[in-house]
Every structure is written in C-alpha cells, then in structure tokens.
Amino acid sequence: MTADVGVTPEPFEILDLVGESVFVRDFDGCIKAWNKASETLYGYVREAAVGKFASVILHCDYAISTADVEAICLATGHWEGEVKRKSAQGRQMLVHVHLSVRYDPMGKPIDIVETGRDLAGSTDFEQASRLSERRYRNLFQAMAASFWELDVSDVNERLRALRRSGVSDFKKFFIENRGFVREMMRSARVVDVNDQTVVLFGRGSKGELLGNIEPFWPEESEHVFIEAMLSGIARRPNYWMECRLRRIDGTVFDALFTIAYPPRDLIGGTIVVGVIDITERKKSELALRASEQRYQNLFKAMAVSFFELDLSGVRQVIRQLRTAGVSDVKKYLRDNPGIIREIMRATRIVDVNDRSVVLFGCGRKEDLLVSPEVFWPEESWPAYMEAILTFLDQKPSFSIETRLRRLDGTVFDADFTVWYSPENRSAGLAGVLDITERNRAQEMLQRVRGEFAHAARVSMLGELSASIAHEVNQPLAAIASSGEASLTWLGQAEPDVDEVRELINQIVADAHRAGDVIARIRSMAEHRAPERSAVSLDEVIREALLFIRPELQARAVVVSHQPSRCSSFVLGDRTQLQQVIVNLAVNAMQAMVQSDCHKRRITIRTAVADPAGVSCVVEDSGPGIDHDNFALLFDSFFTTKQHGMGMGLPICRSIIEAHGGCIRAENVSTSGGARFSFVLPAAK
C-alpha cells in the first residue's frame, strides 16, 4: 500500500554505514528512508520499502497498542520494546526496536527514527510479550506525562451511524452540531489513568477521573477535539495539538494533547491519550517573544545609535597570537598598539538601527555594515583598545567618552558603550550617543557657574566693605603716623638717624600689610577661569579666615580652626574653595548676630574621611536651622536674611559638586547651632 502523500527525498545515505537496521518514517507510518541492514533483516529492497506503510509491509504486532507507542513517543521523545513482524519471505520474527522522535529547530516533531535487531530464537515470544507488558505498565504509571486509557467503542459506533445516515462531510457536521460533539465527549469513557494524571487533573483520587472526558474540555478547545476525531476518521495514525484543558477544580491550563489511532483500534477498543502541562513553557515563550519584541523596538526606535557586532574574527586574531607564542595577550596589545587596526578590521558590523544611519551620515543601512575602523579616528584607538581588553577579561560591558568619525569625515564627541553576550562571546552590542551638545552645554554651564561665583564674591566684598576699609586704613594710618614722626626727627638740628630708620622700616612693613590686604581683595574679586591644582584645604581655610578676620572681630566672633593631622590636600581651585569657606563662616556669623547670641563661636575642622576623601566641618553656636527650611537651604534665591540674595549656599553646593564632592547641613553642632559639612576627593 502506497501513501497518498509525496515523499521528499532526504540525504539518508549515511545510514548505510550503520550495522543495525535503521529506517525513518513519518507520523503516518510512511517509510522515508531504509538502510542496507533493513534490506537484510526484512527482505525488502529500498525501492520496495520507501513510500510504503511500515505497519502494512512488516505486519507489525506490538505488545502494547500502537496508540500507546505513539503517545509515549510524542510525550517523551522515544520508546523501546519488542515487536512481532513478518519478513518479505513470510518469516515470523521478534525485533527489539528503539524509536526516537526527530524535531525541527522550532521543536516541532518531524518523523520517527527506528533502529531494530532480530531477537528470534533468543527468547520466547510470550515471555517477551509479558516483559513488554510489564515495561509498558511501569511506563504508564511512572511517566511524568499524563496518560489516559480511553474506551472509544461508543464513539466509533456513533461515527459509523453517522456515515450510514449519509453524512460525508464530518467536519462541516461537527462545526454545525456542537451539541453532538459534546455527546461524543460524554461517550468516551476513561478506563484508566496514571499517577501523573491524578496530580495534573485531579484532587488526589483517581476515581473522580474515571468517568467521561467532557469535564476536561472547555468550549475554547472544542475545535481541537473535532480535529482529533477527524484524524481518526481519516485513519491517520496520530494527532497532536497545543490547546487548553480543564482540571476537576475548574482551572484551565495550557497542554500538549496527543492521541494515536492504530488501525485495529479504529474499529473498536481503547486508545491512549497523552497530556503534558506546557503552562510554564508557554509563559517562557511569551516572555521570550515579549523580550525579543522589546529588544527589537528598542534597537530600532531608540534615540541611541546601536551596532550589532560579530566578534568571531577578533577571537580568531587572539587565537593566532597565542598560537604564535604570545602568553600575555593583554600586555602584548598594550605594547603593540598598532595591532588595534587589525582587530578593528576583524570586527564585523552585522546590523544597525535607524538612528545609526542618521548619526553617521549615510543614506543606506548597508553603508554601515563594514569594519568599525571607518568610524574610529586614530586619536580614539586607545579607547577601542580598552574595549577589547574588557572583552578579554570576560567582563559584561565597557563604557567610555571618546571621539568617533562620520562617513563624511567629521568627528564628534560620543558616549560609547559595548555589551558582550554571556551566552555567545562572539556577539556584542555597541551603543553610541552623540554628546557633542551635552559637552557644549556643560562648558557653558561651567562658564555660567563661574559668572555666578564671581558675582557672589563681588557681592560679598560689598557686604564686607566696612571691615575691608578698616583693615586697609589701619596700615595706611600707621604709615602716615610713621611718616610724620620721621619728618619731625629729620627736622631737628641733629636728626636721630636710627629712629628715622626704624620708622621707615615700619612704613615699609605697613605698606606690605596693606598690599597683602589689597591682593586678597583682588584675588577674591578677580574674574578668571577656574584652575585646578593640589591645594591644602587647611591652608585655604587659614587664608579665608585672614580675609574676614576684621569682620569677625568686629562682631565679637571667636573662630577655632582645627586642622587635620594628616595631609589635607585636595584637587581644586583655590579661590573657589576660599569662597566656600568665607560663605559658610559669614553665614554662621550673621546667624549668631541676627539672633543676638551672647556666645558667638565658629569651629572649623578638617579630617581625612577615608583614603579617597577630605572632609571639612563648619559649626556655630547660633540658633541652628529651622526644620521647615532644610529642604530649601540650597535652592537659588532662598534666604532668611532681610537683605540677602539667596545665592551663597547654592553657589557653595555648585562649587563643591563641580569639584566631585558633596555638602550637607545638620543641626548637630557640638556648640549647639548649625553644622555644614562637605567632602572633597583627595589629591592623588
């Protein structure tokens, strides 16, 4: 008997090298491949076997039903046992067979591969049958899949009655008569189920499952039941489909439903149905599809340029270096930076998103599917080298700010990040963000901050003008007095030269003193770009206190400076850091004066917070900070002073943060007032 469907040739010639009988059949039983050992064992040449049904030409007689075998194969992927068969010469034989299901890349069953060897003469047929029966029973009970043994005698009788009544289009009849379909479900009686079925469908008792199968089929899955019946009517050996089934408690779950129709059971008797719970698999598939879709959406629609990379060529270059005797590849790459060009050329761009086409200035995606060498100017090769070294260290990602080149040759600032796949170390994903405008904005922001800081310093000089004038007037008055005294001594008949010399020395000292005061004022008022250098924070504090000393003395404020025992050097701009100390000290002074504190004390302490940071604490004995004002302290234009600008503390925070530090305010002063503290990175 020849199958109705065509047989597509496949390259199975390699099976002739196998010593045992091997043949391949589809799930209808049609033979697709037949090796030389099968010709020897069964007596049929390949041309006589391929395209025929194995059950027909070999007269197969399994110890269990064909339906059971098919169900176990579909549920587990394999089956093993003894089968009675007849050769082309009519010889009865007992063959031990092993069936394996072959799947396509998507996991869908394609066909069954059978290996077999003749057991005739080595065992008694009846003993073999009993052994197979026991094996089947053990499998039936112990398998992780749910198995149902069904009596379908009434179902078959109803189908034959329909045929006798003139129904020829069974599919149309079933679709139009859903009530009849439910009757067919009630006609199929459950004879037995295995333990896994009780776990999957029941509530601990096998007895509640031994009725009809209708309770387990929700309406949404009726079409699957119809297709299963149509497969049996068409005398197809098997049918499987993913569907939804219902448990005894009414909950519905995703299932792989399988059923096999052996020819002898199409007339009457029992069939075996297999059910596998695929709920978790479906969830995983949905999650995977959703993840893939999200990735595709991100890859295509993001404002970031993405490049999908093939790094297999890079791995090949590394292997060649090791083959050539290079033991420390990372050291070799650092010592030979010129090899980075070869590594760039070994890297391939597999795909890019639309943003990449726009950013790198081309009209077609294909123009970018080249080596990354085109996009990396020589000035940025060290950055590419670090990305490769990260790849060699098995790290998941690398990020750096660098310069990249468009196809038209223009260069731009970029934030470059590359991620390496943990599953496939030959695959990578690179992201490029154009940060040219951001860098320009940051430069402008630094200029604006400098303008604000300068304006605040000038404003502070205005607030301190009285004390500054007093400090300048003191040495000037002393100079005038010493000058007058000198003239008096010189006007005498016998001038006292020694006294005049001493007075002139005092004049010079007072002139230097006035010059120092003016230099400090000029330094504070000067408008220049910030200059970072290693400066002692304690030295900065001493200079700042010297600047405001007259104002503090005039307000009867006692200042205690407690320098760090360790090195307090930080990397910063001396004038800006002086401005922070002056601001915090003047704020503390004004708060104590405004609240008319009897005891006015400011304590400034420095300490090495950790090897990487230096801290500074400014405490006062004033009234502290109003709890309602904590959230607003560092906001621009917020002030509690009658004539304040509200820019002092915001500028302090701006300066500290620009130096890579942080500042905070608390009411935990040891003197009972407010405490402002900041931490700056230590100079390396």
Side-chain angles (χ1 to χ4, degrees):
M1 177 179 179
T2 303
D4 295 333
V5 293
V7 178
T8 302
E10 293 190 43
F12 291 117
E13 290 81 5
I14 194 171
L15 298 180
D16 288 337
L17 302 177
V18 181
E20 288 188 338
S21 165
V22 181
F23 66 89
V24 182
R25 62 179 175 84
D26 62 22
F27 280 88
D28 290 329
C30 181
I31 297 172
K32 301 169 65 176
W34 186 266
N35 73 343
K36 292 292 186 182
S38 296
E39 292 182 351
T40 303
L41 179 61
Y42 297 112
Y44 290 100
V45 297
R46 179 176 293 144
E47 291 74 14
V50 173
K52 305 297 191 302
F53 289 108
S55 60
V56 175
I57 67 171
L58 299 178
H59 304 279
C60 300
D61 186 6
Y62 291 83
I64 60 175
S65 70
T66 307
D68 296 345
V69 174
E70 298 285 356
I72 293 171
C73 274
L74 289 172
T76 68
H78 60 85
W79 180 85
E80 186 174 4
E82 287 75 39
V83 183
K84 294 178 183 180
R85 283 182 174 160
K86 186 183 294 186
S87 70
Q89 294 76 28
R91 181 173 67 89
Q92 292 289 338
M93 53 198 327
L94 180 64
V95 182
H96 181 86
V97 302
H98 186 280
L99 308 181
S100 298
V101 179
R102 198 160 63 107
Y103 301 90
D104 67 14
M106 301 300 295
K108 181 179 179 181
I110 303 174
D111 47 37
I112 293 177
V113 180
E114 176 185 312
T115 61
R117 58 187 178 87
D118 189 5
L119 295 179
S122 62
T123 183
D124 182 78
F125 279 5
E126 292 183 4
Q127 182 179 353
S129 296
R130 286 195 297 270
L131 180 62
S132 295
E133 181 65 25
R134 285 197 300 272
R135 185 181 292 116
Y136 156 72
R137 184 53 55 184
N138 290 337
L139 284 171
F140 184 81
Q141 289 299 339
M143 284 293 295
S146 164
F147 285 114
W148 302 64
E149 187 177 355
L150 305 180
D151 180 355
V152 294
S153 302
D154 287 349
V155 174
N156 289 331
E157 182 57 39
R158 287 174 178 269
L159 292 175
R160 285 192 288 270
L162 277 180
R163 194 185 297 276
R164 289 194 297 270
S165 68
V167 174
S168 58
D169 190 341
F170 284 95
K171 183 173 184 178
K172 181 174 181 295
F173 180 84
F174 291 152
I175 291 174
E176 294 175 352
N177 296 273
R178 293 302 179 98
F180 181 82
V181 173
R182 305 306 295 189
E183 289 181 13
M184 297 288 280
M185 293 179 184
R186 290 190 289 270
S187 297
R189 309 298 300 177
V190 181
V191 177
D192 195 10
V193 296
N194 67 346
D195 294 340
Q196 179 60 24
T197 303
V198 178
V199 173
L200 181 57
F201 284 86
R203 292 174 289 206
S205 172
K206 177 190 290 190
E208 64 182 350
L209 301 176
L210 302 181
N212 66 73
I213 64 173
E214 185 192 22
F216 310 105
W217 284 89
E219 288 186 9
E220 63 183 295
S221 298
E222 281 183 359
H223 67 284
V224 175
F225 186 85
I226 291 173
E227 290 299 326
M229 286 195 298
L230 294 173
S231 294
I233 293 170
R235 295 189 174 272
R236 299 190 184 98
N238 51 68
Y239 172 79
W240 69 88
M241 181 60 64
E242 292 182 6
C243 65
R244 303 266 287 166
L245 295 178
R246 185 166 50 213
R247 299 183 178 92
I248 284 288
D249 63 8
T251 58
V252 179
F253 66 97
D254 293 305
L256 175 62
F257 168 78
T258 65
I259 186 170
Y261 294 102
R264 64 180 181 179
D265 283 345
L266 287 175
I267 300 174
T270 61
I271 61 173
V272 172
V273 169
V275 176
I276 298 176
D277 184 356
I278 59 172
T279 303
E280 292 305 318
R281 194 200 79 189
K282 296 287 284 187
K283 288 180 181 177
S284 299
E285 289 177 352
L286 289 173
L288 179 60
R289 283 197 292 270
S291 176
E292 290 177 346
Q293 187 61 49
R294 284 195 299 272
Y295 163 74
Q296 287 295 330
N297 291 340
L298 286 172
F299 186 81
K300 293 179 180 178
M302 283 287 287
V304 178
S305 163
F306 283 121
F307 289 75
E308 188 176 348
L309 305 176
D310 178 2
L311 301 169
S312 56
V314 177
R315 295 171 65 88
Q316 179 63 27
V317 172
I318 302 303
R319 281 194 294 269
Q320 290 173 354
L321 289 176
R322 287 174 175 153
T323 302
V326 176
S327 56
D328 191 338
V329 174
K330 291 192 292 183
K331 183 178 184 302
Y332 180 86
L333 294 180
R334 287 193 174 100
D335 294 344
N336 298 272
I339 198 175
I340 198 64
R341 183 189 296 274
E342 181 181 350
I343 290 177
M344 285 182 182
R345 290 174 177 174
T347 306
R348 305 307 301 172
I349 298 173
V350 178
D351 194 11
V352 299
N353 65 345
D354 294 341
R355 177 58 185 166
S356 299
V357 176
V358 174
L359 178 59
F360 285 87
C362 63
R364 301 182 313 130
K365 176 190 292 188
E366 290 73 19
D367 295 335
L368 300 180
L369 304 184
V370 293
S371 161
E373 180 188 10
V374 178
F375 312 109
W376 286 82
E378 193 167 348
E379 64 180 294
S380 300
W381 285 9
Y384 197 91
M385 174 71 79
E386 291 302 317
I388 295 301
L389 293 176
T390 301
F391 171 70
L392 294 177
D393 284 337
Q394 303 285 309
K395 293 180 180 178
S397 63
F398 172 76
S399 184
I400 194 171
E401 290 187 9
T402 186
R403 303 266 288 166
L404 295 179
R405 184 169 51 212
R406 298 184 177 90
L407 289 181
D408 62 5
T410 58
V411 178
F412 64 96
D413 296 322
D415 189 323
F416 172 79
T417 303
V418 60
W419 301 269
Y420 304 111
S421 169
E423 293 84 11
N424 180 10
R425 293 299 294 178
S426 294
L429 181 67
V432 176
L433 184 64
D434 185 353
I435 58 172
T436 304
E437 293 302 321
R438 190 201 72 181
N439 287 351
R440 287 175 184 166
Q442 287 180 341
E443 291 173 2
M444 184 177 294
L445 178 61
Q446 290 297 337
R447 288 197 297 271
V448 170
R449 282 175 173 170
E451 296 284 353
F452 269 118
H454 175 252
R457 290 197 298 272
V458 173
S459 174
M460 184 183 302
L461 291 176
E463 293 182 23
L464 302 177
S465 59
S467 61
I468 291 172
H470 175 74
E471 189 173 8
V472 172
N473 283 334
Q474 279 185 330
L476 292 179
I479 289 171
S481 176
S482 297
E484 291 173 357
S486 297
L487 291 174
T488 301
W489 283 108
L490 291 173
Q492 293 182 358
E494 294 183 6
D496 189 336
V497 176
D498 291 336
E499 187 68 28
V500 172
R501 182 182 293 109
E502 180 64 27
L503 289 171
I504 291 174
N505 285 335
Q506 290 182 9
I507 290 173
V508 172
D510 287 332
H512 283 305
R513 180 181 164 197
D516 290 341
V517 173
I518 293 171
R520 288 197 299 272
I521 296 171
R522 178 181 294 170
S523 175
M524 188 67 70
E526 185 179 9
H527 183 31
R528 58 175 177 78
E531 297 178 359
R532 301 283 178 89
S533 61
V535 295
S536 168
L537 188 56
D538 285 309
E539 185 180 331
V540 168
I541 293 170
R542 282 190 286 268
E543 293 170 351
L545 292 179
L546 187 63
F547 180 77
I548 59 174
R549 182 180 60 185
E551 191 76 13
L552 295 170
Q553 291 174 344
R555 301 290 190 271
V557 177
V558 177
V559 178
S560 173
H561 175 205
Q562 301 172 5
S564 169
R565 295 180 180 179
C566 303
S567 172
S568 62
F569 276 83
V570 297
L571 187 65
D573 180 84
R574 181 182 294 272
T575 301
Q576 288 190 342
L577 295 180
Q578 285 177 354
Q579 182 177 355
V580 171
I581 299 299
V582 169
N583 267 334
L584 295 179
V586 169
N587 281 353
M589 175 192 72
Q590 292 174 343
M592 291 185 290
V593 171
Q594 186 172 319
S595 61
D596 197 20
C597 292
H598 175 69
K599 179 182 179 182
R600 300 173 184 175
R601 183 176 183 83
I602 297 175
T603 302
I604 304 178
R605 296 192 305 275
T606 60
V608 177
D610 55 61
V614 177
S615 67
C616 177
V617 176
V618 179
E619 297 180 334
D620 63 58
S621 58
I625 304 168
D626 190 317
H627 181 75
D628 294 337
N629 294 336
F630 265 107
L632 305 172
L633 275 181
F634 295 100
D635 288 356
S636 298
F637 307 114
F638 173 76
T639 181
T640 58
K641 303 174 188 176
Q642 185 175 1
H643 302 292
M645 292 175 56
M647 292 302 297
L649 288 178
I651 289 175
C652 285
R653 182 176 67 175
S654 175
I655 291 173
I656 294 298
E657 290 180 351
H659 281 71
C662 58
I663 187 171
R664 62 186 299 185
E666 304 167 282
N667 274 332
V668 291
S669 168
T670 55
S671 301
R675 172 193 285 179
F676 285 83
S677 59
F678 61 86
V679 179
L680 293 172
K684 297 180 180 179

